[in-house]
Amino acid sequence: MAVLRKGGVVAFPTETVYGLGADAENERAVRRVFEIKGRPIGHPVIVHLSGESQIELWARNVPGTAYRLTEKFWPGPLTIVLRRSERASDVVTGSQDTVALRAPSHPLAHELLHAFGGGIIAPSANRFGSVSATRAEHVVADLGASVDLIVEGGDATIGVESTIVDLTQGEPAILRPGAVTREAISAALGVPVREGGSDVRVPGSLPSHYAPRARVELAENDVVAAGLANALRAQGSHVSVIGSDDVNALARDLYERLRAADREGVDAIVVVLPANEGLGVALRDRLRRAASPKR
Ligand code: TXA
Ligand code: MG
């Protein structure tokens, strides 16, 4: 925490993925996070808060829908996009008129935010373009010595990045699916919620984000996956197959399994897609990106 006050960079666990944190009001510290990740300036980051009492410090014209969602889903894996206040600088927001806010539920994240008092920007603690970190050892492997402090907090329990919902347009819109589903948000608000389609920039939604080094092939079921794997092996490829009937377990383990396949040096990873419902929507979104051709 003293590290954060001095403008340092701290990797810390959240329930979704590990974050690479810095004082959201210290522009130099925020820029260092971008440098360490190798992330282009101009990509907005999420400001993490200890709770909803801090929302109006960072946002203006906050709609009632924001509080209906935070009451139900905070602390937790939900990020809300609102009109920014002056406190939210251009480097944090990517010079947009909006700011993304989230209060994580992981006890160590909450403790850190509570003790620090201010907002902490925290993109996922991985190198830009690669798979997010769900264990402290992933942070060490990706960013190791360039981080001032790594808080060890075990494996991320959810394993996939937070849901992002834009509340600045007429109709709420999901910018990135996550553990809080569109249906759950719609039920909490009593209004329809759009899937994407907003004009807000979400660089996380660039194709080829979240990608391991190995080529990723997607299959709708076990039979198709086995066929794909056999065909690739017949060509001499070293193949690993990832799948699970338990969507929560798949989410929790997915990034580690993708990273493990890369560590083993496989040529191709065949993934059995979960059903397109609940957490499966988010997993299919990330897997589609992982499978899309690299730039
Ligand atoms: O679960 C998470 O959200 C993790 C943990 C560490 O909290 N953080 C995370 O941060 O995934 P990052 O930087 O890897 O992804 C943040 C996403 C990006 O896709 C970014 O474009 C989007 O949030 N974002 C940030 N500010 C935004 C804004 N004002 N409007 C729209 N999208 C925004
Ligand atoms: Mg990320």
Side-chain angles (χ1 to χ4, degrees):
M1 217 236 316
V3 177
L4 285 173
R5 287 204 204 294
K6 281 188 294 193
V9 173
V10 177
F12 64 95
T14 85
E15 67 280 15
T16 58
V17 298
Y18 274 70
L20 191 60
D23 179 354
E25 293 177 71
N26 181 333
E27 193 169 321
R28 267 198 27 225
V30 175
R31 284 182 188 278
R32 237 189 99 211
V33 168
F34 281 77
E35 266 163 42
I36 292 171
K37 274 188 63 98
R39 182 180 187 150
I41 289 282
H43 286 205
V45 286
I46 298 169
V47 179
H48 295 65
L49 307 173
S50 61
E52 58 192 24
S53 65
Q54 294 184 312
I55 290 174
E56 312 233 351
L57 296 173
W58 293 92
R60 65 179 204 280
N61 307 339
V62 180
T65 49
Y67 292 108
R68 279 206 289 284
L69 292 183
T70 59
E71 196 179 313
K72 187 147 179 110
F73 300 112
W74 276 16
L78 178 72
T79 297
I80 56 175
V81 173
L82 300 169
R83 294 278 158 218
R84 72 165 168 181
S85 75
E86 270 166 30
R87 196 181 293 257
S89 65
D90 282 346
V91 65
V92 167
T93 64
S95 302
Q96 302 180 87
D97 188 38
T98 60
V99 64
L101 304 175
R102 157 162 136 82
S105 64
H106 191 292
L108 292 178
H110 187 75
E111 211 175 283
L112 182 73
L113 284 157
H114 196 76
F116 181 64
I120 299 178
I121 61 109
S124 50
N126 54 284
R127 287 201 57 77
F128 181 69
S130 93
V131 178
S132 293
T134 50
R135 301 178 173 186
E137 69 208 51
H138 297 162
V139 185
V140 175
D142 272 23
L143 310 171
S146 44
V147 177
D148 297 316
L149 180 72
I150 299 176
V151 179
E152 159 69 70
D155 294 7
T157 51
I158 295 176
V160 62
E161 303 82 355
S162 62
T163 305
I164 303 179
V165 59
D166 179 14
L167 300 176
T168 67
Q169 314 284 319
E171 204 172 68
I174 305 292
L175 303 183
R176 180 176 71 181
V180 177
T181 63
R182 183 166 70 93
E183 291 75 16
I185 292 172
S186 183
L189 295 179
V191 297
V193 174
R194 276 185 302 132
E195 194 72 65
S198 160
D199 59 359
V200 183
R201 264 186 305 143
V202 186
S205 43
L206 286 173
S208 110
H209 215 80
Y210 310 106
R213 200 184 29 73
R215 157 176 165 204
V216 176
E217 296 283 347
L218 305 179
E220 281 294 340
N221 59 52
D222 292 337
V223 177
V224 174
L228 268 171
N230 285 338
L232 287 162
R233 282 176 187 133
Q235 294 166 19
S237 290
H238 182 182
V239 183
S240 109
V241 179
I242 297 176
S244 173
D245 293 337
D246 176 346
V247 73
N248 295 313
L250 183 62
R252 203 182 53 229
D253 299 338
L254 179 65
Y255 291 151
E256 161 56 18
R257 290 173 80 175
L258 294 175
R259 283 170 176 266
D262 270 354
R263 290 196 298 269
E264 288 160 24
V266 308
D267 305 302
I269 306 168
V270 176
V271 188
V272 187
L273 289 166
N276 194 26
E277 59 190 25
L279 198 48
V281 176
L283 291 180
R284 291 174 72 102
D285 168 74
R286 304 310 190 278
L287 286 165
R288 197 162 35 77
R289 296 176 206 294
S292 78
K294 302 212 170 78
R295 282 153 301 162

